[in-house]
Amino acid sequence: MRQPTQADRPVRVGMLGWADACLALAALVCVVPAAAQDVVRSGRALADVPTRLVPASGAPATTLRKQELSGSLASRTQDTTLQRSAGPQTILREAEVPRERLEQTRALLVELKARPTPEQAISIDLPADVLFDFDKAELRADAAPSLDKAAELIKSYATAPLTVLGHTDGKGTDAYNDALSLRRAEAVARALQRHTQRQARLEGRGKREPVAPNTTPDGRDDPQGRQLNRRVQILIGVPRKEGR
């Protein structure tokens, strides 16, 4: 048998190195990843999942501050307070009044305690006890100031129709009170016509339209209520529009 020579040894060494390389490669291929994860699908719709917003961890805080103006212009706010006027809640039909008579008309509306009717007429009540003696229809001398003020107010509404209504308290018959209230309305209308050159429609309402009770709840006489009911009412109507 031939003994191996020195030349044979490198061949065996090379073969052994190749085998070791193949074994190492096989070991790498067969390695299972250590961090394997399982994927699970959910059948729940994302629309049914509530959304909750939370600040991110470590996010900087946001603070809102009023910015100081560096220029000379600055905003200024002023409180506004609405207060009730001392006069009528509404300036009655101001568009009909000439501009030069506005202030005077406003003052007269307050002084005469004018009020609007449902038909938008201006109503003034003049106490009969100031205008007439008891059970009389002749104007007293001291009735002039009240009638002068009413006439000045009427002048501010140059095209408005006028109506004068007489009213009495609850004592007496309807026939007597109707006649007395009409005579008093006529006396007031004549005085107003002398100041304004305008005629008024007349009517005696008697005791049919009281503004206060004539008696107390227990049936006794109420002098204060009857005094309020004795009055002459002046109505400054709404002018008719053309074509009506």
Side-chain angles (χ1 to χ4, degrees), residues 31-89:
V31 171
V32 178
Q37 296 181 354
D38 295 332
V39 177
V40 179
R41 294 185 178 275
S42 173
R44 187 178 183 184
L46 293 179
D48 300 331
V49 179
T51 301
R52 187 165 62 95
L53 300 177
V54 295
S57 177
T62 301
T63 304
L64 299 178
R65 295 189 302 269
K66 184 177 180 180
Q67 184 178 5
E68 298 296 334
L69 298 176
S70 58
S72 60
L73 297 178
S75 61
R76 179 180 299 175
T77 58
Q78 181 177 1
D79 295 335
T80 301
T81 303
L82 298 179
Q83 298 179 348
R84 183 184 296 272
S85 172
Q89 294 183 10

Side-chain angles (χ1 to χ4, degrees), residues 113-176:
K113 299 179 181 180
R115 66 184 190 278
T117 69
E119 296 78 21
Q120 297 183 345
I122 299 171
S123 178
I124 304 166
D125 283 346
L126 300 180
D129 292 354
V130 174
L131 303 177
F132 307 100
D133 289 327
F134 177 74
D135 205 27
K136 301 294 182 180
E138 293 77 22
L139 289 169
R140 294 166 41 158
D142 55 358
S146 296
L147 293 172
D148 290 345
K149 293 174 184 177
E152 282 301 317
L153 181 61
I154 290 172
K155 292 178 183 178
S156 296
Y157 301 88
T159 61
L162 303 178
T163 303
V164 179
L165 308 175
H167 301 273
T168 65
D169 60 23
K171 285 194 171 183
T173 64
D174 287 340
Y176 181 86

Side-chain angles (χ1 to χ4, degrees), residues 225-236:
R226 288 194 298 105
Q227 184 180 26
L228 293 174
N229 291 328
R230 296 190 297 268
R231 67 198 192 279
V232 176
Q233 184 180 9
I234 301 171
L235 294 176
I236 304 175

